[in-house]
Amino acid sequence: MIGSFSIALQPYRRSFKKPLQTAHGWWTVREGFVLCLQDAEGRVGRGEMAPIPWFGTETLDQVLSFCQNLGGKISVAQIQQIPDRLPVCQFGFESAWEMLTQSSPKQNQVLQSSYLLPTGISALNAWQSAWTAGNRTFKWKIGVEPIAQEMKYLDLLLGDLPVAANLRLDANGGLTWETANQWMQYCDRMNQSGSAQIEFVEQPLLPSEFDCLLALSQSYKTPIALDESVATIAHLEACYQKGWRSIFVIKPAIAGSPARLRKFCWQHQPDVVWSSALETAIGRNYIEQSFIPSSPPASRAIGFGVGDWLRDEE
């Protein structure tokens, strides 16, 4: 195959140091593949394919099947024609190809990142070390315990955090219309109290409830951010076309084609938070050192403060 690259695929499996609880349930293991492309001159580019099926990506088996059907070779044309139903494969192959053909590495940027706190009351004992390390934005999962209990914990957390801190509340689509409104009322009230600011509420309702999400975003002062609703570029484009102009939390490692995502952002200049999909250093380095520097500047802290959650590759 003229102008083709050889393919090598290495699976990985990383356990969480402590299971991560979200509205989707408990997450204990992160699995994926590291991809290696090599051209005829011996140049090598690495990418990562780490699906999250409940976010709307393909499965591990579908990634493996796609790669096996290539017969050990892939061309540039084939990379550009990977279908949208395989967003993780789009990201992995395009990022590997981009790294292989990149003439020189981009300058490392100093990017401020939000730090993912443990759920529940454990957050009260976890933020101090992250603050000392320089983190000023924190993320806390909601919708995993009764709302009254979570609000009591949050009262304590906001009382402890320095006023200069920002806090993001992530519901992973786990709230009802009633509890979403309760949370938004709470956030508006607390943001007027002089405590640390709640920067936004992330994905309070399911992606299927877009009209309700839009209504919430127009009814309260505290911003709402979409995450699961914009998991892939196709979903991102659809939500933008339907009128979403608040915050987009985008995980490049599962969104699909980096080139298409970059083009969308330059064209529409959305309010973006670049976020981790709990990828390895292969995917993270590409995102932080190549993708983000070549995308429009974003004013919000990136969501990559998750390094303490995962063990080394097994």
Side-chain angles (χ1 to χ4, degrees), residues 28-185:
T28 59
V29 176
R30 187 70 173 110
E31 295 179 279
F33 298 95
V34 171
L35 168 71
C36 179
L37 296 183
Q38 184 170 339
D39 67 8
E41 299 174 10
R43 295 181 303 173
V44 171
R46 290 182 172 83
E48 180 169 357
M49 295 180 288
I52 310 178
W54 59 90
F55 260 79
T57 75
E58 64 269 51
T59 64
L60 282 167
D61 287 343
Q62 287 170 325
V63 172
L64 183 59
S65 176
F66 174 79
C67 294
Q68 288 176 336
N69 287 337
L70 292 170
K73 297 282 186 181
I74 192 168
S75 67
V76 173
Q78 286 176 305
I79 292 174
Q80 295 173 330
Q81 292 167 6
I82 297 173
D84 285 351
R85 60 182 175 80
L86 300 172
V88 167
C89 290
Q90 287 181 340
F91 172 82
F93 277 92
E94 279 196 33
S95 60
W97 172 41
E98 189 174 318
M99 297 306 289
L100 186 152
T101 56
Q102 190 171 282
S103 58
S104 61
K106 293 181 171 62
Q107 292 293 322
N108 289 348
Q109 290 186 330
V110 178
L111 300 170
Q112 292 295 317
S113 185
S114 67
Y115 183 86
L116 179 60
L117 295 168
T119 52
I121 199 169
S122 299
L124 295 173
N125 298 318
W127 69 266
Q128 295 93 339
S129 59
W131 179 272
T132 301
N135 293 278
R136 295 297 180 263
T137 301
F138 300 88
K139 185 173 181 175
W140 191 63
K141 300 285 186 180
I142 61 173
V144 295
E145 296 187 46
I147 186 171
Q149 189 66 64
E150 288 186 332
M151 286 183 176
K152 288 180 181 178
Y153 294 154
L154 190 52
D155 284 340
L156 295 173
L157 180 59
L158 289 171
D160 280 356
L161 284 171
V163 175
N166 282 322
L167 185 63
R168 300 168 175 177
L169 304 182
D170 185 8
N172 289 116
L175 305 182
T176 65
W177 174 253
E178 179 183 3
T179 56
N181 277 277
Q182 287 179 264
W183 273 114
M184 297 308 297
Q185 292 163 11

Side-chain angles (χ1 to χ4, degrees), residues 123-312:
L124 295 173
N125 298 318
W127 69 266
Q128 295 93 339
S129 59
W131 179 272
T132 301
N135 293 278
R136 295 297 180 263
T137 301
F138 300 88
K139 185 173 181 175
W140 191 63
K141 300 285 186 180
I142 61 173
V144 295
E145 296 187 46
I147 186 171
Q149 189 66 64
E150 288 186 332
M151 286 183 176
K152 288 180 181 178
Y153 294 154
L154 190 52
D155 284 340
L156 295 173
L157 180 59
L158 289 171
D160 280 356
L161 284 171
V163 175
N166 282 322
L167 185 63
R168 300 168 175 177
L169 304 182
D170 185 8
N172 289 116
L175 305 182
T176 65
W177 174 253
E178 179 183 3
T179 56
N181 277 277
Q182 287 179 264
W183 273 114
M184 297 308 297
Q185 292 163 11
Y186 173 94
C187 292
D188 278 4
R189 183 172 69 252
M190 295 306 293
N191 278 345
Q192 296 297 317
S193 68
S195 63
Q197 287 294 291
I198 299 169
E199 185 181 0
F200 56 75
V201 177
E202 187 172 329
Q203 198 70 45
L205 303 172
L206 292 170
S208 59
E209 300 175 275
F210 178 83
D211 289 343
C212 293
L213 286 162
L214 192 59
L216 279 177
S217 73
Q218 296 168 346
S219 301
Y220 298 95
K221 292 183 178 179
T222 304
I224 290 177
L226 298 185
D227 183 8
E228 283 89 339
S229 291
V230 293
T232 69
I233 299 170
H235 296 144
L236 169 64
E237 292 171 337
C239 288
Y240 189 87
Q241 289 169 3
K242 289 188 287 187
W244 190 264
R245 295 297 183 271
S246 189
I247 304 163
F248 297 83
V249 177
I250 303 175
K251 296 174 170 60
I254 65 171
S257 162
R260 184 173 161 194
L261 179 56
R262 191 183 290 118
K263 180 180 178 181
F264 175 91
C265 290
W266 279 111
Q267 180 179 354
H268 299 292
Q269 302 285 321
D271 188 351
V272 167
V273 174
W274 299 118
S275 183
S276 172
L278 294 163
E279 58 283 295
T280 70
I282 298 292
R284 175 171 180 160
N285 288 344
Y286 166 76
I287 294 166
E288 290 189 350
Q289 298 175 19
S290 184
F291 180 80
I292 292 178
S294 58
S295 299
S299 61
R300 299 183 186 274
I302 63 173
F304 280 80
V306 295
D308 293 340
W309 281 88
L310 290 166
R311 301 185 188 279
D312 294 335

